Amino acid sequence: MSDLLARPLVPVANEDDAVATYESLREYLVDDDGTPLVVNVIEKAGGAPDKAGVEQRQKAAEAAFEAFRERAAADDLTVKTEIIYGTDVADAIIDHARDADASAIAFHSRGGGALLNVLSGSVRTKLVTESDRPVIVLPNK
């Protein structure tokens, strides 16, 4: 997997997700010495009032990044982090992966079944079906 995980873009939603994602990705990064770009998408409402204040969501993103960085540092791994903004989470991740020349998008699935995917147009489904680069859905650990 070394080529796939040389420069993965790794989206995390919150602190708990960052921990679960790192634990699922850890063995691959340690084995391959990849340098992930960990991102958090702050979803903008596109004209409507945002669900929560941007500053509040930036602080939550930084907490998620710190949880990921702490674990990576314990394994002597380098991590880059970045907050990205968009009206569609999946599109923002896909676009940023392209702009950053990520080798793949690697994420930890947060659950939900087929019915939920149909009803919500899930980020997971959109990443897998619309990305122009490999997408790795990490196993639950």
Side-chain angles (χ1 to χ4, degrees):
M1 259 208 231
S2 59
D3 289 344
L4 281 177
L5 293 174
R7 295 174 320 283
L9 183 126
V10 182
V12 295
N14 55 46
E15 197 170 346
D16 289 340
D17 183 48
V19 170
T21 299
Y22 184 78
E23 292 306 320
S24 294
L25 186 58
R26 178 185 180 275
E27 69 182 274
Y28 307 109
L29 292 176
V30 170
D31 289 347
D32 294 333
D33 198 29
T35 302
L37 170 57
V38 180
V39 299
N40 176 276
V41 179
I42 294 182
E43 188 175 11
K44 302 295 288 169
D50 289 331
K51 298 173 190 172
V54 172
E55 193 172 300
Q56 177 185 356
R57 292 186 292 166
Q58 287 170 333
K59 287 181 182 177
E62 289 302 331
F65 294 157
E66 186 57 29
F68 198 100
R69 275 192 298 260
E70 282 178 7
R71 283 154 183 79
D75 291 325
D76 203 25
L77 295 172
T78 302
V79 174
K80 297 177 184 177
T81 60
E82 193 168 339
I83 296 173
I84 55 179
Y85 301 85
T87 55
D88 182 284
V89 173
D91 286 344
I93 292 168
I94 291 166
D95 291 346
H96 202 74
R98 184 180 312 110
D99 293 345
D101 194 28
S103 56
I105 298 170
F107 69 95
H108 179 261
S109 182
R110 290 181 270 300
L115 179 60
L116 181 61
N117 287 347
V118 169
L119 296 174
S120 69
S122 110
V123 171
R124 174 185 61 223
T125 299
K126 199 167 183 180
L127 288 176
V128 170
T129 60
E130 296 183 18
S131 178
D132 61 348
R133 61 205 57 244
V135 175
I136 301 166
V137 181
L138 298 163
N140 291 326
K141 292 284 178 169

